[in-house]
Amino acid sequence: MTRIATSDEYAELRDGSTLVIQRWFPGSAARLWRYLVDAELRRKWFADGIMQSAAGTALELVWRNDDLSGPDDPRPEGVGGEQRMPSKVIAFDEPHRLAILWGQGQVIFDLVEKGSRVLLTITHTGLDASKIGIFAGWHSHLDILSAEIEGSHRPSFWLSWTRLRDEYLARLAARQTKSA
């Protein structure tokens, strides 16, 4: 069954170069924090890479999205099997904020605990608005994280990414039509 995202699960483009996506998760901020900083947990939903617990430390993120996909879900043509990105931790405020230098911008993970749930806000700056695959990527990775934390069926990454990329393209086209 294909899961349809609710409107509040979609990433938004702000200021032309900043992606913001939010998701609620069950449990504590400390529990969710481990999925951000522990390489073994992070690789289950996003990217591998040993992270030091301090700002100013180097980090290499390693994506192996085929490991997040089923055998009947091949990666799109032209996409490599492994991607690496040298980076740097620029803020490490456990369990509230993690910021990482990311290409020409940065990615900030903010966690706010409310009762028995945690709101995760990801802010990715320095984007080119044409990079719609990044929107679909964050959305797909968060869907996998949600399933991992809830113990439910994990969506296959590339099937989800392809569907969401098409949805984001349609949403962007509709937004441009409204503003024209």
Side-chain angles (χ1 to χ4, degrees), residues 8-154:
D8 62 341
E9 291 180 322
Y10 284 94
E12 297 177 18
L13 181 64
R14 297 184 184 164
D15 303 327
S17 64
T18 301
L19 171 150
V20 177
I21 188 166
Q22 295 184 306
R23 227 28 104 72
W24 283 100
F25 292 92
S28 67
R31 178 179 181 223
L32 184 57
W33 179 262
R34 288 190 304 274
Y35 279 89
L36 300 178
V37 300
D38 181 293
E40 286 298 312
L41 292 174
R42 190 177 352 94
R43 74 175 172 76
K44 290 180 178 184
W45 70 277
F46 184 54
D48 203 350
I50 303 296
M51 180 182 295
Q52 303 300 315
S53 303
T57 58
L59 166 67
E60 181 178 47
L61 292 169
V62 182
W63 284 268
R64 296 179 188 101
N65 291 332
D66 291 351
D67 291 350
L68 302 177
S69 296
D72 59 341
D73 184 15
R75 75 181 100 84
E77 190 173 317
V79 176
E82 181 176 288
Q83 298 170 359
R84 293 176 173 265
M85 184 176 67
S87 189
K88 182 178 183 178
V89 175
I90 54 178
F92 196 96
D93 179 18
E94 182 177 351
H96 307 289
R97 175 173 270 202
L98 173 66
I100 300 171
L101 200 58
W102 195 286
Q104 300 301 312
Q106 59 182 293
V107 172
I108 302 166
F109 301 88
D110 285 309
L111 288 78
V112 177
E113 196 167 317
K114 301 256 183 179
S116 62
R117 301 186 317 156
V118 180
L119 178 63
L120 171 63
T121 301
I122 298 174
T123 306
H124 187 158
T125 67
L127 290 175
D128 177 326
S130 68
K131 305 239 182 207
I132 211 71
I134 293 172
F135 287 66
W138 279 117
H139 196 135
S140 297
H141 284 296
L142 287 177
D143 285 349
I144 292 170
L145 175 59
S146 181
E148 185 71 32
I149 286 176
E150 294 172 3
S152 62
H153 174 73
R154 273 181 19 169

